[in-house]
Amino acid sequence: MHLKKKGKALLTASVVLLTATLLLLGAMYGFWRSFDSSSVETDCLVVYTPHPIEFVKPLVEEFEGRTHIKVKIISGGTGKMTEQLDAGQSIDVMWGGSYFSVAPYFDMFADYRSINEADYLPVNRNTEGNMTRFSDVPSILMVNSDLIGDIEIKGYEDLLNPALKGKIAFANPSRSSSSFEHLINMLYAMGQGNPEAGWDYVKRLCENIGDNLLDSSSEVYNGVTAGKYLVGLTFEEAAVTLRNDGAHIQIIYMQEGVVSTPDGIYLLKGAAHPDEARAFIDFLSGYDAQYLMTQRLGRRSVREDLQQVNDVPEKSELNIIYPDPQEVLQNREDWITRFSEIYKGGLS
């Protein structure tokens, strides 16, 4: 089942009104039941996602309210998500995971092009056939404003400050998509375009991280917000959302260069609910959901007909760097292994 397009003016007004009634919609359509991952109901659309629950909740509520399709969300990090795919977990849609983290699993996804492809920025269109871009996600540094004091942080080089030793939050790149994005980012940025030249920086950073390598991206931004760490390597949306909720944090775009990679929505081959899955993909890539995402949820849209997130710089204002996709994908497993060996060596 496909969702019909509507006039954009009506859509914008509709989103504003519907956003104000999200809690009511949640009560009407049993949202919290859909987030109980203890069992999978056969009549539910099953969606696996690493996105924070606060981000997923309003979008799922809106979809359920419009379509009356029940959604079963299973939450977990990108690493765990791909492990579930390898294990043959019964999933209809995978929602999240950057291109570089998920590309090795592309053969598990069915071809599908959303009805909204023509409204996408050309760079974000589904040229692969089985990856619908969902949002554009810059890597950033998140700083606890209350605790950082006079320590200046403008980029990666500043993370080597001895005053930050043991106070840096970073998740294992083998477990976290956002951390793998940071690994790519620092290799290219600190290697000045040559990732091989960036490994000396990675070694020095690992020494300053100490024994704080975390298991998930949520531990990074939550740890910084709670004051457990002074600075964390994370992604823009998490920091924007926390800042909008009143957290005392700063968002730093690395002066050495920022990698901004789209994440995706993927239809699993052999999905038990393929029509509902396509409807879900069409909804998330549509104007209404993307508008809500940019105005309320801190993510940059992949569409060309929308303004971007409030209170964040335009990408043209950032020092954006572009990794070589083939080089990254060819070296992905080697880079993850190499990082692990460097980190473990630094602790021994």
Side-chain angles (χ1 to χ4, degrees):
M1 59 185 74
H2 293 267
L3 302 177
K4 296 180 179 179
K5 278 191 163 183
K6 304 177 181 178
K8 289 179 181 174
L10 290 175
L11 289 175
T12 302
S14 170
V15 169
V16 173
L17 177 62
L18 288 168
T19 300
T21 61
L22 286 175
L23 291 177
L24 177 60
L25 285 173
M28 290 171 62
Y29 295 106
F31 176 81
W32 290 110
R33 181 177 62 252
S34 73
F35 276 84
D36 174 13
S37 61
S38 59
S39 63
V40 175
E41 300 175 51
T42 57
D43 62 340
C44 287
L45 176 68
V46 181
V47 177
Y48 201 117
T49 182
H51 294 313
I53 196 75
E54 298 82 4
F55 178 85
V56 169
K57 182 175 184 278
L59 290 167
V60 171
E61 285 181 332
E62 187 68 30
F63 174 74
E64 289 186 324
R66 292 184 182 208
T67 65
H68 300 277
I69 296 171
K70 293 169 61 179
V71 178
K72 176 77 174 184
I73 291 289
I74 303 175
S75 298
T78 303
K80 181 179 178 182
M81 182 166 60
T82 52
E83 288 173 4
Q84 293 294 319
L85 294 182
D86 281 336
Q89 172 75 37
S90 179
I91 300 168
D92 296 309
V93 174
M94 195 171 85
W95 175 18
S98 72
Y99 172 83
F100 292 128
S101 293
V102 178
Y105 300 87
F106 272 1
D107 61 351
M108 296 185 178
F109 307 134
D111 280 355
Y112 180 64
R113 285 179 170 81
S114 125
I115 61 175
N116 300 296
E117 279 292 317
D119 297 314
Y120 271 35
L121 289 161
V123 71
N124 291 324
R125 290 177 185 165
N126 182 2
T127 57
E128 300 83 4
N130 56 7
M131 179 183 178
T132 300
R133 270 69 171 173
F134 173 62
S135 63
D136 192 5
V137 189
S139 296
I140 60 99
L141 304 179
M142 177 176 159
V143 175
N144 186 304
S145 303
D146 292 333
L147 301 178
I148 196 64
D150 59 0
I151 300 174
E152 186 174 59
I153 299 179
K154 293 184 177 180
Y156 283 130
E157 186 68 29
D158 297 318
L159 299 183
L160 303 181
N161 186 335
L164 293 174
K165 187 174 180 63
K167 301 175 182 178
I168 300 170
F170 187 52
N172 192 328
S174 70
R175 308 294 297 175
S176 164
S177 175
S178 62
S179 286
F180 182 62
E181 290 296 320
H182 262 291
L183 179 60
I184 297 168
N185 200 146
M186 66 182 71
L187 287 175
Y188 276 90
M190 304 310 287
Q192 299 184 346
N194 175 12
E196 186 61 31
W199 285 102
D200 178 64
Y201 172 79
V202 172
K203 181 178 180 180
R204 295 163 67 199
L205 176 65
C206 285
E207 291 170 353
N208 230 27
I209 290 173
D211 60 356
N212 290 332
L213 191 65
L214 306 174
D215 288 329
S216 70
S217 56
S218 62
E219 290 184 74
V220 174
Y221 52 78
N222 287 331
V224 173
T225 304
K228 188 175 181 179
Y229 309 100
L230 296 185
V231 59
L233 292 83
T234 185
F235 56 101
E236 184 183 59
E237 173 259 313
V240 169
T241 300
L242 287 164
R243 185 180 64 184
N244 291 346
D245 287 342
H248 294 183
I249 56 104
Q250 301 172 34
I251 300 174
I252 308 297
Y253 300 88
M254 293 77 67
Q255 62 182 2
E256 299 92 349
V258 175
V259 171
S260 187
T261 306
D263 64 345
I265 324 164
Y266 314 88
L267 170 64
L268 272 294
K269 287 181 179 177
H273 308 95
D275 290 339
E276 291 85 350
R278 295 183 188 104
F280 189 66
I281 293 171
D282 288 345
F283 169 75
L284 290 176
S285 59
Y287 185 89
D288 276 16
Q290 294 273 312
Y291 178 85
L292 175 59
M293 181 179 74
T294 60
Q295 299 303 305
R296 299 285 185 269
L297 303 176
R299 287 238 178 177
R300 297 175 187 254
S301 176
V302 289
R303 293 174 62 103
E304 61 182 354
D305 55 358
L306 277 169
Q307 295 292 322
Q308 293 307 316
V309 181
N310 291 328
D311 302 322
V312 298
E314 293 290 333
K315 285 183 70 174
S316 60
E317 301 174 36
L318 305 177
N319 179 19
I320 298 292
I321 56 178
Y322 299 92
D324 179 341
Q326 286 301 113
E327 184 173 38
V328 173
L329 293 177
Q330 288 172 1
N331 290 283
R332 179 179 181 275
E333 294 304 320
D334 176 64
W335 287 355
I336 289 174
T337 300
R338 191 168 175 180
F339 175 88
S340 178
E341 290 173 348
I342 288 173
Y343 179 76
K344 290 176 181 176
L347 293 181
S348 60

